[in-house]
Amino acid sequence: MPTQPAFSPDADLELLRSAAVAAGIMALGYFRRDLKTWTKENASPVSEADILIDDFLADTLLAARPDYGWLSEEHEDNPDRLQHRKLFIVDPIDGTRGFIRGDDSWTICLATIEDGRPMAGVVYAPARDELYDAVRGGGARLNGKPLRRREHKGPGPIIPAPGAVHRELAAVGLDYVRGPALPSLAYRLVQIATGVLDASVARRGAQDWDIAAAALILSECGINFEDACLGQIIFNRAETRHGALAATHDKSLRGVLNQALITVYGCPDGARPGETEASQE
């Protein structure tokens, strides 16, 4: 069997960008139209667009990189991916509930992973014409221009969170503004990089495909993103689900958000809150 060529993260990013744009055109053909939907075993919704786009991305990306592994929301997990140093992690539509009801902030999320770390990533919001991308060590961009955070003036940091976390933050007296409940976790995360939000959290259970691309974009923007209990986020493990997560631009928010998440959701057996200061590099 011939040796496959080695592709750089920059070359992978160009592939991801091209595939994301094509997938976005396909998705927009189903958006705000009558489409088939059903509920998966985990009670999350899925549409015919999710399946079509997942299949398209698998065919397109693996044809270009046949030696890469694959992990995506709508394909059955293949344990063979654990034997690959490099793989694609894909969410064909992040924020399917919003997509189905006509909310325009859904995204298409693509990332390449090497040895557990994102190397190239795209978060594309076709209905908003916003394409966020990053390559490790090369910075992050929005629609091809360097992604720079705009500081906002207001009464306090803007933080979206589940209701139980909001109640905990209020109980400890944090002065902040409740942020919008955007259906796409990836889109919420990259809004910290734009300055629309100052922090965001996620309850336990986010999957690799929900966060891999956004994690790299945040990292390249100098924004801390971590597991509240375990610290650094590693991808392509046997267990693709993660614990409670916090992303923060303002380092002063890190401790209070992590503690609120630990209070509400707890930590896995054996985890020691605060033991590691590691964050997504």
Side-chain angles (χ1 to χ4, degrees):
M1 181 176 180
T3 302
Q4 296 291 341
F7 294 99
S8 69
D10 291 285
D12 283 349
L13 180 61
E14 289 307 307
L15 174 64
L16 296 182
R17 284 170 52 90
S18 176
V21 170
I25 293 170
M26 296 172 64
L28 287 172
Y30 289 86
F31 183 51
R32 292 176 177 167
R33 298 189 181 185
D34 186 22
L35 74 164
K36 296 177 182 177
T37 65
W38 59 96
T39 302
K40 294 187 283 190
E41 291 182 359
N42 62 1
S44 65
V46 65
S47 76
E48 59 183 314
D50 292 84
I51 304 301
L52 176 70
I53 294 166
D54 200 83
D55 288 344
F56 163 76
L57 290 170
D59 290 345
T60 300
L61 296 176
L62 290 175
R65 305 286 190 270
D67 55 333
Y68 283 25
W70 181 266
L71 175 65
S72 68
E73 181 169 13
E74 307 306 342
H75 270 73
E76 184 178 355
D77 190 9
N78 184 348
D80 179 65
R81 65 179 169 80
L82 299 172
Q83 307 305 315
H84 291 262
R85 290 189 61 206
K86 294 184 177 183
L87 81 157
F88 294 107
I89 295 184
V90 169
D91 192 342
I93 298 179
D94 185 43
T96 297
R97 284 187 175 87
F99 179 84
I100 292 171
R101 67 173 179 257
D103 186 295
D104 67 358
S105 63
W106 50 274
T107 59
I108 296 168
C109 303
L110 315 175
T112 55
I113 305 297
E114 183 172 354
D115 296 331
R117 300 197 309 166
M119 302 302 290
V122 171
V123 174
Y124 181 36
R128 293 192 173 191
D129 193 27
E130 297 173 10
L131 193 151
Y132 302 82
D133 70 70
V135 65
R136 182 165 294 278
R141 289 156 296 279
L142 169 57
N143 292 340
K145 296 181 180 179
L147 178 53
R148 306 194 189 282
R149 179 180 163 85
R150 294 184 178 182
E151 300 299 332
H152 63 82
K153 297 179 180 179
I158 301 174
I159 307 172
V165 177
H166 278 310
R167 290 189 289 274
E168 184 61 27
L169 294 177
V172 300
L174 183 66
D175 184 17
Y176 74 104
V177 176
R178 295 191 179 199
L182 298 166
S184 166
L185 174 55
Y187 192 75
R188 291 201 304 272
L189 291 172
V190 298
Q191 294 317 301
I192 305 170
T194 66
V196 170
L197 303 176
D198 295 291
S200 188
V201 301
R203 59 173 59 90
R204 289 172 67 174
Q207 302 269 9
D208 274 5
W209 50 76
D210 296 314
I211 62 173
L216 179 59
I217 293 167
L218 293 183
S219 176
E220 289 299 310
C221 292
I223 294 168
N224 190 71
F225 183 40
E226 64 186 345
D227 183 304
C229 296
L230 302 176
Q232 185 177 9
I233 300 171
I234 304 296
F235 296 94
N236 195 32
R237 291 178 167 177
E239 176 55 75
T240 61
R241 292 174 298 180
H242 296 270
L245 306 170
T248 53
H249 165 65
D250 184 344
K251 292 182 180 179
S252 69
L253 295 172
R254 181 182 178 193
V256 67
L257 288 180
N258 282 349
Q259 187 55 56
L261 289 171
I262 291 167
T263 299
V264 172
Y265 300 113
C267 287
D269 293 342
R272 298 181 181 180
E275 180 180 58
T276 177
E277 291 299 315
S279 63
Q280 183 69 32
E281 296 178 0

